[in-house]
Amino acid sequence: MSGPLQPLQRFLCNTCRATFTFERKSARPRGRFTDDLVQEAVRSYVQGLSSYRVLAAMLEQRLGLSVSRFTLNSWVLELGARAKTPLEVSIELAPKWGGFLGVDGKAIFINGQQHCLLIGVDHPTQDLVHALVVPVENADGFTRLETEVRLDAGYPLLGVVSDLGPGFASAHRDHFGAVPFQACRVHFDRRLDSDIPNFSWSKKGPLYAEFKDRIRAVLYADDIDEARTLLRDLVSERRRFKGIGRVDSLRALERNFDLYAAHHFAPGLPPDNNVTENVIKQLNKKLRLMEGFSSVDTAERYVRLLVGCYRFKRFTDSCRRANNGKTPLELAGVDIAGRDWLSFLLDR
């Protein structure tokens, strides 16, 4: 933290003997700290990787006053309640997105029960368009996110890329059937090694390796004609590979071939969801330090702050060098004009 932050100046009324302050917009009994200090503490907590305990110790050393981790948590929840949601930010700033939406979920825990943080990320700007805290990663949450992004935020939906979560493809077909849907080929690729062990020590090892290599060749073919030819040749030799793996990977590829090949028909549609997964990794740097949330409401409040911080944060180590030094919102054509992310979220 930086800047001359000070505890709250308190005054005493000589008539009624009550104390009062001038520097807290949200007054509370026995408040001791200014709005600036509260906001700077919340900003430092969300931006950094410090725990409440570590940040409380830093504040106490700097101010000479005790600040408990419970107080810090209450500040985060207070400002999170006032902050704009990711969807509200998208509506207000109206970014110029690329139009290809990546959807993926991150497991979070609320009151000891697993829930899902479902996010929609624009390709290629990496701007996080919308985020929802839902009980489970299913078709209902997927449909709600896709619908609100398109109808409320005015997202120019040219295509969607996602893994084949429960009911995702059918939900998309039912509501946005004219929009291409790409099943992430990397998700399928990763499952091959768990579904089909290597058995390098076995005589069947080379056959298992060949099977996986040929499936991957279909997934990563340069064009649709090559993909179809490779798949047809593989299917013609089905008996050679019968019984390989814990599931029938070839049947799964056949059944969903059109979904994995959608990028061949929609120029610009990503064949994988790597961009969205990278955004989740950025958010998870902070989420993994947290033991969970006490309620859906507290989770949503924190997500508002975390997502807002991400959208205003400049890239420094992007594999796309042209992105470095720019924020996701700037890559989406928004002039943030040096605006502070937290001040913007609280400015209603």
Side-chain angles (χ1 to χ4, degrees), residues 276-289:
T276 308
E277 289 192 348
N278 286 335
V279 173
I280 288 179
K281 288 179 182 178
Q282 293 299 315
L283 302 181
N284 197 42
K285 289 180 180 179
K286 190 67 183 184
L287 289 171
R288 69 185 179 188
L289 300 176

Side-chain angles (χ1 to χ4, degrees), residues 309-320:
C309 178
Y310 165 79
R311 298 178 79 174
F312 278 79
K313 184 179 180 181
R314 300 187 183 281
F315 292 111
T316 57
D317 56 355
S318 173
C319 59
R320 301 177 182 178

